[in-house]
Amino acid sequence: LVFKSTHYPGEAVATRRGSPLLIGVRSKFKLSTEQVPVLYKTCNNIEIIKTKCKPRSNRRDSSTCLYPVGTEKAVEFFFASDASAIIEHTNKVIFLEDEDIAAVADGRLSIHRLKRSVGDNSSRAIQTLQMELQQIMKGNFSAFMQKEIFEQPESVVNTMRGRVNFETSTVLLGGVKEHLKEIKRCRRLIMIGCGTSYHAAVATRQVLEELTELPVMVELASDFLDRSTPVFRDDVCFFISQSGETADTLMALHYCKDHGALTFGITNTVGSSISRETNCGVHINAGPEIGVASTKAYTSQFVALVMFGLMMSEDRISLQKRRQEIINGLQALPEQIKEVLALDEKINDLAHELYKQRSLLVMGRGYNYATCLEGALKIKEITYMHSEGILAGELKHGPLALIDKQMPVIMIIMKDPCFTKCQNALQQVTARQGRPIILCTKDDKESSKFAYKTIELPHTVDCLQGVLSVIPLQLLSFHLAVLRGYDVDFPRNLAKSVTVE
């Protein structure tokens, strides 16, 4: 909330509770401090806030306020919920914490809190953003979502940069190394997220179980809170969020901290609540994501979680061959993503056949089940078409009743341990006159002969195949939304950052 009044010209008071709030600072002149101290008050009288920063004998109090040094020096303050809103004006920002009150009076900024709590930071630092204006512009693309889909070869590289050494086959996550011994002693990993972030956890659960040899629970944050799930001191809880401000995920974080668990954040936003409040974590470095439907953040979260598994298994002799296979897969991934993006025209043609349909089913199993959930979510949120991600192993327990020659079905069948079982599901669909559109690898003649249409993808190691197989579904949802005449970047009823329950 930001308050202004005609009774107090040149002044503003802002406060944060739950939703994110930051203050951009722009001035050509030197500022009085780089650390704005937090002042504690027992009342909220604006006059007291004003007096604290009033000139005393023509001298300003540099210990409590932020202002430009010298006489008649100009400064501008920008209040926003996201850094992308102010990056065209300034790259200097102060991130407010919950219950902070910021007061601007006569060009001087002070920060207040009503109560002091154990562990509170005594100041708020001015931080410099690494974001550039061109990163939040569409460029030659028609929509932010389309631009972000095509940025994935670079965003995946940025997630791995400085962390994966392909020459020595080692992985080092700087934000985790100090807590690595503690994590290795844990009894259980709990991965918590909402929407696309939850799907990234589902996508990597199997490989994390394999590499860490620990039980891995994957939880929707809202359901996790509803159940008051038992959490123990020897658990490690992961909180996955693109914005780092998702309300349900933050509440789950507070719940786990209260129960003594080690907390691990995976976010795309430096200075976000989750990145500040967790014990350790990883910034995925995917770059700003403007479109409401998350695309490059999903693939970067996926890669970040795989890197965590590789780091955990570095000293396991029995897993060295598997680790090397995955690291080789990571090295080839950016070029393979470019190959998949080259299929854009073919996927656009497919969208012309499907855009008048009312429903769409996406099926897979094993490593590709999360891809089905994520692809169906993308189609739902920007095309407003009913879409459902179905575990192929559950086909005979209900979903098979939906199959006929009118129902569009997309099946993801890759050369992995579930290949034979997926072939069984494919034959069940074709036996009911279904006309499956199959995402398969280039050398898969067996699946192609049952397909109505195929989209052939490069082959990679099984646990990374989901990064490649989700991109055709991202492109399909984009083209469907355009053909149906909807706003791709800002779908109805949805927000980019869900800061309420």
Side-chain angles (χ1 to χ4, degrees):
L1 294 173
V2 180
F3 302 93
K4 279 185 66 64
S5 169
T6 53
H7 299 293
Y8 297 93
E11 298 175 19
V13 177
T15 185
R16 171 188 166 158
R17 178 178 288 176
S19 299
L21 183 63
L22 57 87
I23 304 171
V25 183
R26 181 168 75 173
S27 179
K28 295 178 182 177
F29 309 102
K30 183 183 176 183
L31 297 170
S32 60
T33 179
E34 291 293 313
Q35 298 273 348
V36 185
V38 178
L39 307 174
Y40 291 89
K41 291 294 176 186
T42 54
C43 67
N44 57 358
N45 190 332
I46 185 67
E47 295 299 334
I48 293 179
I49 292 173
K50 288 167 64 182
T51 8
K52 189 70 185 175
C53 282
K54 280 286 186 186
R56 297 175 184 172
S57 307
N58 297 321
R59 186 171 55 86
R60 293 177 176 131
D61 185 352
S62 62
S63 65
T64 58
C65 301
L66 176 69
Y67 59 87
V69 175
T71 56
E72 298 182 7
K73 304 294 187 184
V75 63
E76 291 178 278
F77 297 107
F78 301 86
F79 294 90
S81 59
D82 190 85
S84 59
I86 62 167
I87 193 64
E88 63 181 291
H89 304 291
T90 180
N91 65 346
K92 304 282 188 185
V93 298
I94 299 168
F95 293 97
L96 296 185
E97 297 189 5
D98 262 5
E99 314 294 338
D100 278 358
I101 302 167
V104 176
D106 301 323
R108 296 179 291 279
L109 171 72
S110 56
I111 297 176
H112 306 256
R113 290 178 74 86
L114 296 180
K115 296 178 183 176
R116 187 188 295 270
S117 303
V118 177
D120 278 356
N121 288 327
S122 60
S123 62
R124 303 289 177 261
I126 299 176
Q127 299 186 31
T128 303
L129 299 173
Q130 300 304 315
M131 191 188 303
E132 294 179 10
L133 185 59
Q134 65 184 29
Q135 291 180 291
I136 59 168
M137 304 298 284
K138 288 180 189 174
N140 297 322
F141 296 95
S142 62
F144 285 112
M145 180 183 177
Q146 184 185 28
K147 174 176 178 272
E148 288 150 14
I149 291 170
F150 279 85
E151 283 176 344
Q152 287 176 108
E154 292 77 32
S155 63
V156 163
V157 168
N158 289 338
T159 303
M160 294 188 284
R161 181 175 282 119
R163 294 165 170 170
V164 184
N165 187 325
F166 294 110
E167 292 180 4
T168 60
S169 299
T170 55
V171 178
L172 181 64
L173 302 175
V176 182
K177 61 182 180 182
E178 290 182 7
H179 292 83
L180 191 60
K181 287 183 180 178
E182 191 178 349
I183 294 170
K184 286 184 175 181
R185 288 197 299 267
C186 80
R187 301 285 299 277
R188 176 176 64 163
L189 305 179
I190 304 176
M191 304 170 73
I192 299 166
C194 300
T196 290
S197 297
Y198 167 77
H199 296 156
V202 174
T204 52
R205 171 174 54 191
Q206 188 173 338
V207 71
L208 285 178
E209 286 175 334
E210 180 185 355
L211 293 176
T212 65
E213 297 177 343
L214 290 167
V216 180
M217 287 176 61
V218 178
E219 299 281 352
L220 282 163
S222 54
D223 182 54
F224 178 82
L225 291 165
D226 289 344
R227 299 195 332 262
S228 299
T229 310
V231 174
F232 306 103
R233 291 178 65 185
D234 54 1
D235 289 333
V236 175
C237 300
F238 289 71
F239 301 91
I240 309 169
S241 168
Q242 188 281 139
S243 67
E245 302 289 351
T246 309
D248 284 322
T249 309
L250 267 173
M251 290 174 68
L253 166 58
H254 298 151
Y255 176 87
C256 293
K257 283 178 78 173
D258 290 344
H259 285 72
L262 181 74
T263 56
F264 186 120
I266 297 180
T267 82
N268 191 33
T269 311
V270 176
S272 63
S273 296
I274 287 178
S275 65
R276 291 198 312 271
E277 294 185 29
T278 44
N279 299 117
C280 57
V282 179
H283 286 294
I284 62 173
N285 299 331
E289 192 176 63
I290 310 298
V292 167
S294 183
T295 50
K296 64 179 181 177
Y298 172 79
T299 48
S300 287
Q301 287 169 347
F302 193 126
V303 169
L305 286 163
V306 171
M307 289 194 300
F308 169 75
L310 291 169
M311 190 175 173
M312 285 281 286
S313 60
E314 197 163 306
D315 55 356
R316 305 277 174 91
I317 294 172
S318 60
L319 292 172
Q320 291 310 302
K321 184 180 177 183
R322 175 64 165 163
R323 285 185 77 258
Q324 190 59 53
E325 185 182 33
I326 296 169
I327 289 170
N328 292 342
L330 286 173
Q331 189 170 18
L333 203 55
E335 288 303 316
Q336 291 179 319
I337 292 173
K338 289 178 184 175
E339 284 184 55
V340 179
L341 292 170
L343 300 170
D344 184 44
E345 198 58 46
K346 184 174 182 179
I347 294 167
N348 189 20
D349 294 340
L350 179 61
H352 277 81
E353 289 189 39
L354 296 175
Y355 79 97
K356 291 183 180 176
Q357 296 285 346
R358 298 187 63 181
S359 190
L360 181 63
L361 303 181
V362 190
M363 288 184 203
R365 66 186 294 166
Y367 283 109
N368 294 301
Y369 175 51
T371 304
C372 299
L373 296 176
E374 176 61 11
L377 177 64
K378 288 292 151 284
I379 292 165
K380 275 179 223 173
E381 62 185 336
I382 65 168
T383 72
Y384 315 147
M385 179 191 295
H386 169 259
S387 182
E388 193 174 342
I390 294 172
L391 186 64
E394 292 295 299
L395 197 57
K396 292 180 181 176
H397 298 278
L400 196 58
L402 295 170
I403 303 297
D404 60 26
K405 61 183 177 182
Q406 306 299 329
M407 174 64 76
V409 181
I410 296 174
M411 298 191 74
I412 303 171
I413 303 175
M414 298 295 163
K415 289 286 183 73
D416 60 22
C418 292
F419 179 74
T420 306
K421 295 174 182 176
C422 287
Q423 287 294 319
N424 180 31
L426 173 59
Q427 289 166 22
Q428 293 290 333
V429 168
T430 53
R432 272 74 179 180
Q433 298 185 309
R435 299 193 302 165
I437 299 158
I438 297 178
L439 271 63
C440 60
T441 50
K442 290 178 179 177
D443 56 348
D444 187 359
K445 305 299 179 191
E446 198 173 337
S447 299
S448 300
K449 64 185 180 186
F450 291 104
Y452 167 61
K453 285 186 182 295
T454 58
I455 296 172
E456 295 184 342
L457 306 176
H459 178 71
T460 186
V461 59
D462 53 8
C463 64
L464 295 176
Q465 193 71 56
V467 175
L468 301 179
S469 58
V470 78
I471 294 170
L473 298 176
Q474 293 173 348
L475 289 167
L476 179 63
S477 64
F478 169 76
H479 291 302
L480 287 171
V482 170
L483 290 168
R484 288 163 74 95
Y486 298 130
D487 187 334
V488 176
D489 290 327
F490 304 106
R492 67 190 182 202
N493 307 334
L494 299 177
K496 180 64 181 169
S497 183
V498 184
T499 57
V500 293
E501 286 186 74

